[in-house]
Amino acid sequence: MAKSPYYLTTPIYYVNDRPHIGHAYTTLACDVLARFKRLDGHEVHFLTGTDEHGQKVEKSAQAAGKDPQTFTDEVSQNFRNLAEDMNYSNDDFIRTTEERHLKAAQAIWKAIQANGHIYLDSYAGWYSVRDEAFYAEGELTKGEDGQKLAPTGAEVEWVEEPSYFFDLSKWQEPLLKFYDENPDFIGPDTRRNEVVSFVAGGLKDLSISRTSFKWGIPVPDDTDHIMYVWLDALTNYLTAVGYPDEDNPDYSKFWPADLHMVGKDIVRFHAVYWPAFLMAAGLPLPKRVYAHGWLLNKGEKMSKSLGNVVLPEDLVSQYGLDPVRYYLLREVPFGNDGYISHETMVSRINSDLANDIGNLAQRSLSMIAKNCDGVIPTPGAFTDDDNALLSSAHAVLDDVRSQFDQQAFHRGLETLWKVVGDANRYVDAQAPWALRKTDPDRMATVLYVLAETIRHLGILIQPIMPDAAARMLDQLEIAPDARSFSHLGPDHALVAGTELPKPAPVFPRYVDEEAAD
Ligand code: MSP
């Protein structure tokens, strides 16, 4: 049976800044899931891109002495380069300054308006350019110099201007009913509870247009107004599948989205405003919004002013791409805030990768090279121990799938590494090196079982470490079209007699430069 199509999205990134590890993290999680779903037989549409309108970007362009279009062209390219450098497999890269997006954003506005949910009034209140968000007086705090600050710590300014409003207050009950009927709509549970209590506390109508600057999408039929950047930005998820052309095959295939992955700071926009806009426009709602936590540099929030922003390219050049991809999703429980540091990186690289999976593959394949003439040996009958290992390598997919479906990437990896641990214990217990003289047939069976386990692990780690996995599978002569999850299990087992290339280590140890001197 064909599996359902799967549409997942990253937030679109503000082009006011160069990409840092926080941006790389959100997209990485999506990339791993996108790759996983493809290998699991789904047709996947994986979207990322850049959020290019609004005051924040306009100000950054001014500060850089550039017109906004030139500025956004340049910074958006940095995010495209990041996707390449991190080996992201996105199917599309959207920019909100594209023509297709202008059409979609104006169309959703018109749909909401035609249904009677937009009215003209004037806004007088606080606005934070950094957050691109409106705040009520009661939400503000005081900074050190007594100035008013947003709850996020961002500066706010007083705004007074004509504005169109969205009747968000009317959507309180429909939203609460929707959350209730769709318990998986928001994850993790802590975020879900926060959102539900925020909505239960009452919603105010939302200002959705501005007149005091120009860098944005004009409101249809009233071009003095620019659409509020969040209404513009959220609509990107529809633009990319062809909206407003509801006959577009991508739209019918992929909308509603299966997952919007976001950071915890923007959950309100995705789990409150976005479903309300969609309901008001008469459009289907996404299936899930998952909010992950923040990456902290040795416990501190990363910021330009603290000078502790970690750049993805620096990590990759120091530790290698696949180890960084593994580390980020293994070290920090996804959904929580977590620390990244050199020490924990080195420890993961040397223990989980070099020692555990790296050694397993290297010593097993070297024994085959040395003792079996470099060909996959012919196994005898399998013992209970052999079957136990093979079936754990095969059965692990179900557990990993359900953990990844909950975005519990750290748990999925932990589950996979249990098989790695089982395999290492199996090598120690079977001691194939000792069997060489005493029972070569049994040695052949043990090495076959190990090679077959490594084949499974190689296939299963592809979403996380695509290059390293490919090298492992190349060493077993697995054809590129025999690497999907449907090839797990005994039906596609290694064929005895297959000649293997000379094995080479896939996961080197990390040695500190000082220690190496
Ligand atoms: N443009 C909006 C999103 C619009 S989506 C319709 C935006 N952009 S952003 O560039 O500021 O942030 C994008 C994502 O990066 C957010 O999900 C945010 O949580 C994430 N991160 C930024 N810094 C981060 C960390 N230090 N750690 C983890 N993720 C963080 O918001």
Side-chain angles (χ1 to χ4, degrees):
M1 204 184 78
K3 293 199 175 173
S4 50
Y6 192 87
Y7 178 29
L8 82 168
T9 67
T10 73
I12 46 172
Y13 301 100
Y14 286 128
V15 287
N16 63 317
D17 208 354
R18 61 195 285 204
H20 64 64
I21 197 69
H23 307 124
Y25 183 58
T26 313
T27 314
L28 170 63
C30 289
D31 183 59
V32 168
L33 198 51
R35 288 174 183 274
F36 186 92
K37 291 286 170 189
R38 287 189 202 106
L39 290 163
D40 209 15
H42 297 261
E43 186 180 352
V44 170
H45 197 66
F46 167 23
L47 176 70
T48 187
T50 42
D51 187 353
E52 308 195 359
H53 289 135
Q55 243 176 321
K56 170 164 160 147
V57 172
E58 192 182 59
K59 282 195 169 168
S60 303
Q62 275 161 7
K66 294 183 177 157
D67 71 275
Q69 190 62 56
T70 313
F71 178 75
T72 53
D73 286 348
E74 285 172 13
V75 186
S76 177
Q77 188 57 41
N78 295 338
F79 282 89
R80 267 183 211 262
N81 296 345
L82 174 74
E84 192 123 316
D85 296 347
M86 295 294 293
N87 200 2
Y88 296 146
S89 62
N90 51 296
D91 299 290
D92 192 358
F93 186 101
I94 192 165
R95 301 182 54 188
T96 53
T97 47
E98 291 171 51
E99 185 64 26
R100 59 173 172 161
H101 181 66
L102 175 103
K103 277 197 202 134
Q106 292 191 330
I108 197 171
W109 179 288
K110 283 190 181 157
I112 299 173
Q113 192 169 40
N115 291 339
H117 300 294
I118 293 180
Y119 61 92
L120 184 61
D121 199 339
S122 65
Y123 179 80
W126 297 102
Y127 191 76
S128 154
V129 175
R130 194 183 89 186
D131 299 347
E132 295 283 19
F134 300 94
Y135 290 106
E137 183 77 44
E139 288 180 280
L140 303 181
T141 57
K142 277 223 166 82
E144 276 171 18
D145 313 328
Q147 80 277 32
K148 290 184 191 288
L149 293 179
T152 55
E155 282 177 23
V156 290
E157 60 189 45
W158 184 255
V159 170
E160 221 171 306
E161 59 189 31
S163 172
Y164 284 96
F165 280 80
F166 170 66
D167 62 1
L168 184 64
S169 59
K170 298 217 179 87
W171 296 95
Q172 180 185 16
E173 285 313 316
L175 282 169
L176 290 172
K177 182 163 177 277
F178 177 73
Y179 303 145
D180 195 45
E181 288 169 357
N182 298 277
D184 289 334
F185 178 63
I186 307 165
D189 284 346
T190 44
R191 301 289 161 227
R192 182 189 150 77
N193 297 340
E194 277 167 25
V195 168
V196 171
S197 64
F198 171 73
V199 174
L203 296 171
K204 287 210 183 67
D205 287 355
L206 182 71
S207 164
I208 51 164
S209 77
R210 303 286 310 274
T211 49
S212 48
F213 69 98
K214 280 277 158 248
W215 182 239
I217 295 184
V219 165
D221 308 321
D222 191 351
T223 51
D224 289 345
H225 290 254
I226 294 295
M227 275 170 70
Y228 175 36
V229 66
W230 271 100
L231 173 55
D232 159 350
L234 287 160
T235 306
N236 91 87
Y237 304 133
L238 282 171
T239 309
V241 289
Y243 180 83
D245 176 9
E246 295 185 31
D247 297 327
N248 184 309
D250 279 347
Y251 183 84
S252 23
K253 197 187 292 172
F254 293 117
W255 193 260
D258 292 272
L259 176 68
H260 294 315
M261 181 76 83
V262 299
K264 64 177 187 180
D265 50 325
I266 55 174
V267 70
R268 187 179 296 182
F269 299 96
H270 284 81
V272 182
Y273 299 172
W274 182 225
F277 293 150
L278 289 167
M279 284 195 259
L283 294 167
L285 271 48
K287 294 178 199 153
R288 184 165 165 87
V289 172
Y290 187 89
H292 65 69
W294 281 72
L295 291 182
L296 306 168
N297 188 354
K298 296 189 185 126
E300 278 184 334
K301 198 166 166 175
M302 288 179 234
S303 77
K304 266 197 234 167
S305 51
L306 287 174
N308 64 349
V309 174
V310 176
L311 298 178
E313 58 268 32
D314 292 345
L315 288 188
V316 169
S317 68
Q318 189 170 359
Y319 307 105
L321 175 57
D322 279 352
V324 168
R325 288 175 58 110
Y326 172 81
Y327 168 79
L328 289 175
L329 292 183
R330 178 65 187 86
E331 181 65 19
V332 178
F334 204 67
N336 296 359
D337 288 351
Y339 300 172
I340 55 173
S341 69
H342 173 70
E343 292 70 27
T344 53
M345 175 83 81
V346 171
S347 142
R348 289 278 172 203
I349 292 177
N350 288 346
S351 66
D352 301 11
L353 299 182
N355 280 352
D356 294 350
I357 194 168
N359 259 348
L360 171 72
Q362 184 56 16
R363 62 179 173 161
S364 308
L365 295 178
S366 304
M367 281 188 275
I368 293 177
K370 250 196 254 147
N371 305 321
C372 311
D373 298 326
V375 303
I376 300 276
T378 306
F382 290 143
T383 63
D384 288 350
D385 287 345
D386 301 344
N387 282 323
L389 180 60
L390 290 172
S391 60
S392 84
H394 182 198
V396 74
L397 175 63
D398 286 342
D399 290 342
V400 177
R401 184 190 290 117
S402 67
Q403 288 158 337
F404 276 23
D405 277 338
Q406 293 296 312
Q407 289 71 51
F409 299 106
H410 57 292
R411 297 207 27 232
L413 292 177
E414 204 175 32
T415 304
L416 278 176
W417 256 251
K418 283 205 185 107
V419 178
V420 175
D422 289 345
N424 277 318
R425 276 185 294 276
Y426 172 90
V427 189
D428 292 341
Q430 302 294 328
W433 50 88
L435 293 168
R436 197 162 68 104
K437 292 229 167 70
T438 56
D439 189 350
D441 287 348
R442 178 64 198 150
M443 177 198 71
T445 308
V446 168
L447 292 180
Y448 181 89
V449 169
L450 284 169
E452 186 52 8
T453 305
I454 294 163
R455 179 179 78 89
H456 279 73
L457 289 170
I459 289 177
L460 288 160
I461 65 168
Q462 291 177 99
I464 301 281
M465 297 183 281
D467 291 338
R471 271 180 281 138
M472 273 172 75
L473 294 168
D474 288 348
Q475 297 197 26
L476 287 169
E477 282 294 336
I478 308 293
D481 61 359
R483 298 181 177 189
S484 74
F485 294 161
S486 65
H487 296 95
L488 296 171
D491 291 351
H492 300 272
L494 290 164
V495 177
T498 308
E499 210 170 305
L500 301 183
K502 194 171 172 290
V506 173
F507 296 104
R509 286 185 71 76
Y510 181 91
V511 182
D512 260 320
E513 269 170 32
E514 307 93 76
D517 288 343

